[in-house]
Amino acid sequence: MRIDILSVLPELLESPLNHSIMKRAKDKGLLEVHTHGLRTWAVNKYGQVDDYQFGGGAGMVMMCEPLVNAIESLSAGTTYDEVIYLTPDGERLNQRIVNQLSLKQNLLMICGHYKGIDDRVREHFVTREISIGDYVLSGGELAAAVLTDAIGRLLPGVLNDETSALFDSFQDDLLAPPVYTRPADFRGWKVPEVLLSGDPKKVDEWRHEQSLSRTRTRRPDLLDEDA
Ligand code: 6GU
């Protein structure tokens, strides 16, 4: 998969996408992430990419011209399956959307800043708008990093044990069960007996019950709606 990310602050994307599992995905050639500084397409030599909003009011708006030139120039080399605008008023991200996007070949992500981008870009170029939750970040970069990480780890071959993503919280609309490692007794706090039983069927049953009860108490909303 190839992901292009358009941003006024591409530096913000460096660290989160270059360690651990994302690094492994790139090293294995399973994921290519290209970040692009929007000022490359600035309207003047001062690097301008934003301007005051029509109608008045505080806050700048990202201009059409740099964004459209960037999108068109990147689209000349790559056919994007989706042009995603990261924005707090987008569709709220969940595992179902991540799964869907992980099946695509090429994604372009646009990170907003200030008051957001000129709405004409959304109307004419953006195919999908995504928010990572009901709170406001100072820009779309961290959201793009979150989305890229969530997608990247699902690509076949990225995780060591390929089945492990299947048991993530949310993959079946249930939270993950508790996990333990050695020692079996730490300060008298004991690991549940069943996990030491060596009976895989009992272990599976116990994990499923734990998943259900955790979901019921922590996230009952997951059980009664198809979010
Ligand atoms: Cl995608 N962008 C910004 N700026 N804030 C957010 C967000 C995105 N998702 C949640 N909050």
Side-chain angles (χ1 to χ4, degrees):
M1 169 179 288
R2 175 184 171 118
I3 298 177
D4 288 271
I5 308 178
L6 195 51
S7 157
V8 284
L9 277 171
E11 301 83 6
L12 263 181
L13 294 156
E14 288 310 313
S15 177
L17 300 178
N18 286 302
H19 297 281
S20 177
I21 291 173
M22 289 303 99
K23 181 171 191 302
R24 180 156 15 112
K26 289 179 172 180
D27 290 347
K28 286 185 168 178
L30 301 167
L31 175 64
E32 261 181 68
V33 180
H34 300 269
T35 58
H36 307 274
L38 183 63
R39 289 190 207 282
T40 303
W41 292 276
V43 294
N44 56 33
K45 65 178 178 185
Y46 308 108
Q48 187 182 356
V49 294
D50 59 349
D51 208 338
Y52 297 100
Q53 57 177 316
F54 281 125
M60 307 295 274
V61 174
M62 290 168 68
M63 305 167 78
C64 282
E65 191 181 326
L67 283 166
V68 168
N69 284 339
I71 294 167
E72 287 182 338
S73 120
L74 294 171
S75 300
T78 307
T79 304
Y80 294 105
D81 300 299
E82 301 275 7
V83 177
I84 300 167
Y85 174 43
L86 282 310
T87 177
D89 61 1
E91 182 182 9
R92 190 166 52 193
L93 185 63
N94 58 30
Q95 192 64 46
R96 178 182 55 78
I97 298 173
V98 173
N99 293 350
Q100 260 177 22
L101 292 175
S102 75
L103 302 173
K104 310 285 184 184
Q105 283 305 307
N106 302 303
L107 301 175
L108 175 58
M109 299 186 191
I110 300 172
C111 305
H113 259 268
Y114 322 113
K115 282 281 168 195
I117 68 177
D118 190 301
D119 216 73
R120 290 167 290 187
V121 178
R122 299 171 72 159
E123 192 182 333
H124 295 285
F125 291 91
V126 170
T127 61
R128 192 143 195 180
E129 304 189 324
I130 292 176
S131 157
I132 63 164
D134 294 339
Y135 45 83
V136 178
L137 300 168
S138 47
E141 285 76 11
L142 296 179
V146 165
L147 181 56
T148 300
D149 181 293
I151 291 170
R153 61 189 292 285
L154 292 185
L155 302 178
V158 170
L159 295 184
N160 275 336
D161 178 353
E162 269 204 56
T163 60
S164 71
L166 296 175
F167 299 104
D168 289 343
S169 280
F170 299 111
Q171 214 40 288
D172 50 7
D173 280 340
L174 292 179
L175 301 184
V179 294
Y180 302 87
T181 187
R182 290 185 292 182
D185 183 336
F186 177 73
R187 296 188 177 174
W189 304 326
K190 297 199 172 55
V191 166
E193 202 66 50
V194 58
L195 296 178
L196 312 174
S197 70
D199 182 339
K201 190 160 163 277
K202 278 212 178 112
V203 169
D204 278 354
E205 279 168 13
W206 179 85
R207 285 183 173 152
H208 187 65
E209 281 161 21
Q210 291 288 315
S211 281
L212 275 173
S213 65
R214 280 208 161 177
T215 309
R216 238 179 255 123
T217 51
R218 297 173 187 214
R219 292 293 307 276
D221 57 299
L222 293 175
L223 293 173
D224 48 46
E225 52 180 272
D226 267 27

